[in-house]
Amino acid sequence: MMTNAWWRRAATTTALIVATVLPVGSTTAIADPTPGSAPAPAPAMRPAGTAFDAGPLRLPEPPPAGVVRTELAGLHVSAPHSMNGYSRAKFPHWIKQYGECDTREVVLARDGEDVKQDEKCRAISGTWFSEYDAKVFTVSGQLDIDHIVPLANAWRSGADQWTTPERRRFANDLVHSQLIAVSASSNRQKGDQSPDQWAPPRRAYWCTYARAWTDVKHLYHLNVTEPEKAKLSEMLDTCEQ
């Protein structure tokens, strides 16, 4: 089984979100109970041919388990909001972020090995390891780009109160550990379920998954349910095993 350099913080990843993700003057992402500021976006880099100028991109690693446990303790516990009015169209994706490269193609290039792209940034070859189920792929069409915190879950957790620019930023966030290329089958099994309803079949990934999920909810001031919080705590216990 191939090994990828997943979830490592790299200096180059701090300059990823293009200004179109969160226009100047937009309010910050806020959910119950207290307003707070999500991290400001940084300017994007542009591709040169099939390679990125600053070198290989890496999905930022979530904070350590100890930090995440503190974040989890601080999350607001609330019943899910109504799905009335929800539409994936209210979370515009995938947007252009690197010249002609949209968010999906950036993630495919970032998360694969030896990825080659055509002039429109489409991945035409490469190898990908799906962290959720330990499957290996050589065809990009067999992969989905998963939102660690699904769009519908975010809506139920407070994103129903956001503006469209805020939801666009969330849906295309390359700075934090919110997007990952995984097998289409595992992503569709997950759907919009929270960790108490679905967890990656590959238990070895539970620690990273729980750290990423909790950190994203912390950064975007999203709520959790009691069962969700309990399952996240259980999954964080695997970090110590």
Side-chain angles (χ1 to χ4, degrees):
M1 181 176 68
M2 64 173 285
T3 301
N4 283 287
W6 298 94
W7 303 90
R8 296 179 301 177
R9 291 196 185 276
T12 56
T13 57
T14 58
L16 292 177
I17 294 185
V18 71
T20 56
V21 179
L22 183 62
V24 175
S26 174
T27 57
T28 55
I30 298 172
D32 296 340
T34 305
S37 298
M45 299 169 287
R46 299 179 67 83
T50 59
F52 296 105
D53 293 334
L57 305 178
R58 291 291 181 264
L59 181 58
E61 183 182 359
V67 173
V68 171
R69 285 188 185 279
T70 300
E71 293 178 347
L72 181 61
L75 292 179
H76 180 61
V77 177
S78 175
H81 293 192
S82 169
M83 286 296 287
N84 288 342
Y86 170 75
S87 168
R88 287 179 65 86
K90 292 186 177 180
F91 293 80
H93 64 291
W94 306 112
I95 65 170
K96 298 279 183 68
Q97 297 216 48
Y98 283 67
E100 291 302 308
C101 301
D102 67 22
T103 307
R104 172 181 167 82
E105 296 301 340
V106 173
V107 175
L108 286 173
R110 181 196 69 190
D111 290 0
E113 294 288 341
D114 301 319
V115 177
K116 299 294 186 295
Q117 298 169 297
D118 64 16
E119 69 281 358
K120 294 185 178 179
C121 283
R122 294 172 298 200
I124 56 177
S125 66
T127 305
W128 292 267
F129 177 77
S130 172
E131 290 284 7
Y132 289 176
D133 49 13
K135 295 179 180 178
V136 177
F137 299 91
T138 56
V139 177
S140 64
Q142 296 175 321
L143 297 149
D144 280 353
I145 307 305
D146 182 44
H147 292 91
I148 294 289
V149 175
L151 305 183
N153 182 280
W155 178 273
R156 294 192 297 269
S157 304
D160 57 333
Q161 302 172 11
W162 297 353
T163 65
T164 297
E166 290 166 348
R167 288 190 285 263
R168 180 170 64 242
R169 175 185 175 185
F170 178 83
N172 297 276
D173 187 351
L174 293 171
V175 170
H176 308 106
S177 45
Q178 164 66 342
L179 298 172
I180 184 172
V182 296
S183 67
S185 59
S186 65
N187 185 50
R188 293 165 197 184
Q189 289 169 5
K190 172 183 173 178
D192 65 354
Q193 299 178 93
S194 56
D196 55 299
Q197 301 165 325
W198 185 92
R202 181 173 168 248
R203 189 182 175 90
Y205 199 64
W206 279 21
C207 172
T208 304
Y209 188 80
R211 288 161 53 215
W213 181 289
T214 304
D215 190 50
V216 168
K217 286 222 162 176
H218 165 75
L219 290 166
Y220 283 92
H221 312 284
L222 293 168
N223 306 326
V224 291
T225 65
E226 283 286 7
E228 176 186 353
K229 185 174 182 179
K231 183 64 176 183
L232 287 166
S233 180
E234 175 191 339
M235 294 174 77
L236 288 172
D237 288 343
T238 65
C239 298
E240 301 162 4
Q241 296 174 1

